Amino acid sequence: MAEEGVKKSSNFIREIIKKDLEEGRVKEVVTRFPTEPNGYLHIGHAKAITIDFGLAKEFGGRCHLRFDDTNPSKEEQEYVDSIMEDIRWLGWEWGSHLYFASDYFEKLYEWAIYLIKQGKAFVCDLSADEVREYRGALTQPGKESPFRNRSVEENLNLFERMKNGEFPDGSKTLRAKINMSHPNINMRDPVMYRILRATHHRTGDKWCIYPTYDYAHGQSDAIEGITHSICTLEFEDHRPLYDWFVDNLPIEKKPHQYEFARLNLTYTVLSKRKLLALVQKGIVSGWDDPRMPTIAGFRRRGFTPEAIRNFCEAVGVAKANSTVDLAFLEECLRDELNKKAPRRMAVLKPLKVTIENYPEGESEELEISNNPEDPSYGTRKVKFSRSIYIDRDDFMVDPPPKFFRLAPQREVRLRNAYYLTCTGYKTDEKSEVIEIMGKIDPATKGGWSPDGRSPKVTIHWVNAEDCIESEIRLYDRLFLKENPDDVEEGKDFLSNLNPDSLKVLKGCKLEPSLKDAKLGEVYQFERVGYFTLDKDSKKECLVFNRAVTLKDTWAKIQKKR
RNA sequence: UGGGGAGUAGUUCAAUUGGCGGAACGCCUGGCUCUGGACCAGGAUGAUGGGGGUUCAAGUCCUCCCUCCCCAGCCA
C-alpha cells in the first residue's frame, strides 16, 4: 500500500481504476493473475503479479489466481505447484479465489452452442494449412471458408460429434463467424475449439476438444466477475476479439482488458521458451538455479520478496517497451538487505596471519554487533587468537596507489578487534604469498586507539582455530551482452552466455556462528556481499550463495585502469 | 504496402490534464564513518523524435512526417 512514506508515482491503470470507482462503473475492483502452467514464474511475472494483486489490494478489492490451462499438451502439475509457491512467497494471497480455465470447459461449451445457434460460429473442415492460406496476409484480405455457411443444425450436430470424439485430431475446428476481410487478422473467423487428444492435468481424458485462449479468456473473466483484466501489450490487438465474444454472449457485466508493457532486463532472457532451453540443455542446474531470473532462482540466490516487490513498484507501469538495467534490481536488493541482513565475517580466499605478539595457546572473546545500524539485532561473541585468516585480496606485497589495505609495514584495523601492522610475509617457490606475520597494538582492543590515530581501512578476518569451512558460490550475470539476443547471423542467444557466471570457491573460512544459518536467511558478509545458505549444504560442508556484492569502490578503481 | 501500439535526462518512470519540465537508479565532487558498505551534502545531463499550426502560454490541443515495437499458431 502507498502509506510507507515513499511516494509512488501513479500509472495509467491506477488512474482508470480510480475513475471507474469514482464514477460508479464498478463497485469493487476484481483483477486476476492468469498464467499458463507450462513453466516457472520469472521476474516479468512478478511485475504482472505486483500490478494485479497490488492494485486490487490498494483499492480494497480482490485478485484471483487463474491457471489458463486450455492446452493440455504443454501443461503440468509441477508448474501449478511451483507457481502457487512463488506467488505466496512474494507475499500475495488469493484466499478461496483459485480458479482454472478448465473449470469453465462446460460453460464454454454451452456458450459455443449458443453462438452456433445465433449463426455466429461454424464447424470448419479446413486443415491447419488451409486455414492459414484462407486467412490472407497482413495486407491482403482472407477468403471465406467453404464450410462457413453450414446450417445451424449441421453445425450443432458436427460440434457435438467433435466433442464425442468422432473425428481425428486436427480434422475440424469450431470457428467464430466474424469477418474474413477484417483488417485485424484476429477477427478473421478465429478458431474457438480444436480437436486434441491429450490428457489434461485436471480433466484427464474427459475432453478431446479444447477452447483456444481467445475463446476462453474473456469469458473466464466474465464468469469470475473480473472488472479489470490486465495483460501485456501483445494482446492489444486481441482486445476487439475479447470484446466480440463478451458482447455476443449472454453476459451482463462485461470485463475490460487493459495492456501494459512487459518487463525486460539487461543481461537476461525472459521468455519461457528460452528459459526452458537453458534448463533442458543443462546450462543451468534447473529452474531454481540462482542464475535464473525465475522467482525460484532469485529465492535460492538470496533475494527477498520485499526487494522484488520494491523493484516491481519502482519500474512503474507504462505502455512503452523498455529494458530495465539489471543493476537497478541489484540495488533494490542491497537497499533491502542493508536494513535487514545480520552481519557476519567470512573470508572467501583465506590467507593466514600469525600475530607474533599474541601469546601462543591463548585466546579471547570479543563482543560484536550483529548489525551496527540496528542495535536490536544484538551482539555475538567471536574468538580472537594468535592465528587468524584474512582475505588474499586485502594484502599486497607491492601495493599500487589508492590501495589502502594491508601491505608490509602498513597498519590496518581488524574489524571489531585490533589494529594490525604487517611485519613480514612468507612466499612459496612460485613467490606466492602463503602467510603473513604481523603484530597488533594491544591498546587498540575493540578497534580504537587512545592516541586517536585511525587506519585508512578496516579489514575483516576469522579466527583460525574455530572457524568453519564452506563452499561459496559466486554468481554473475548469465549473459555477456546487455541484450542476449543481439547475435551474429546464424547464432542464437546461447552464443552470448557468460562462461564465468558461476565461480565456486572452496575452503572458505566462516566465523563459527554461521553453522546455525538456515535456509532463507540472508547475511551480510562484511565488506563482501550478501549471502544465503544453499540447499546443497551438507553438515560437513555448508554451501553459501552470493546474492549480490556490496558496492566496491576499490573494484571500480581497478576497473577504470 | 493492412491493423494495433509507443516515442520526455544514460536508464526506468512522473508532470496537478494548457501554466516556469521533475524523481529514482546510474555518473561526477566533497563530507562523515571501525564495512573502500551505509549515510549526508553538492553537481552535470534534456531543443520533451522532427516540421508546421492554434494560444498570452503547448510535453500536453490540431496537422504532416520520422523511428521503434506487436500481429498472418488449431500457443498463451
Side-chain angles (χ1 to χ4, degrees), chain A residues 484-551:
Chain A
D485 290 317
D486 175 15
V487 289
E488 296 168 32
E489 271 292 308
K491 293 194 171 176
D492 69 359
F493 72 108
L494 296 175
S495 64
N496 283 327
L497 278 167
N498 176 9
D500 298 319
S501 58
L502 168 60
K503 280 187 197 145
V504 178
L505 263 31
K506 306 221 180 206
C508 306
K509 312 283 188 186
L510 313 181
E511 62 165 87
S513 67
L514 250 6
K515 70 172 173 292
D516 298 323
K518 292 179 188 63
L519 249 31
E521 292 174 342
V522 188
Y523 294 93
Q524 184 194 103
F525 290 177
E526 288 198 88
R527 297 209 314 133
V528 183
Y530 295 96
F531 293 80
T532 195
L533 193 70
D534 190 82
K535 66 179 184 185
D536 287 347
S537 291
K538 305 219 167 51
K539 216 167 191 169
E540 325 80 72
C541 182
L542 299 181
V543 176
F544 282 86
N545 297 321
R546 182 178 70 195
V548 67
T549 61
L550 247 33
K551 278 190 196 158

Side-chain angles (χ1 to χ4, degrees), chain A residues 112-140:
Chain A
I113 289 170
Y114 177 91
L115 286 175
I116 291 172
K117 286 182 177 164
Q118 301 281 309
K120 288 172 181 168
F122 66 99
V123 173
C124 182
D125 295 4
L126 255 27
S127 70
D129 285 342
E130 289 166 331
V131 168
R132 187 181 317 119
E133 214 180 295
Y134 275 71
R135 186 157 33 226
L138 293 176
T139 57
Q140 229 83 67

Side-chain angles (χ1 to χ4, degrees), chain A residues 332-347:
Chain A
C332 289
L333 213 220
R334 286 192 194 99
D335 188 54
E336 165 73 16
L337 258 17
N338 178 51
K339 294 175 229 157
K340 304 268 181 68
R343 316 284 131 128
R344 292 292 184 270
M345 290 201 286
V347 171

Side-chain angles (χ1 to χ4, degrees), chain A residues 258-317:
Chain A
Y258 303 92
E259 311 87 10
F260 67 93
R262 61 168 359 129
L263 176 72
N264 297 291
L265 260 190
T266 55
Y267 303 102
T268 308
V269 295
L270 288 181
S271 93
K272 282 189 189 172
R273 205 200 92 239
K274 287 175 188 149
L275 295 176
L276 182 63
L278 291 170
V279 173
Q280 288 181 338
K281 288 174 192 282
I283 293 163
V284 296
S285 63
W287 285 99
D288 69 345
D289 186 296
R291 292 166 293 178
M292 289 285 273
T294 51
I295 305 304
F298 282 123
R299 178 168 59 229
R300 188 170 169 193
R301 170 103 168 228
F303 275 64
T304 62
E306 291 82 4
I308 292 176
R309 269 191 267 128
N310 290 343
F311 169 78
C312 291
E313 285 288 349
V315 296
V317 182

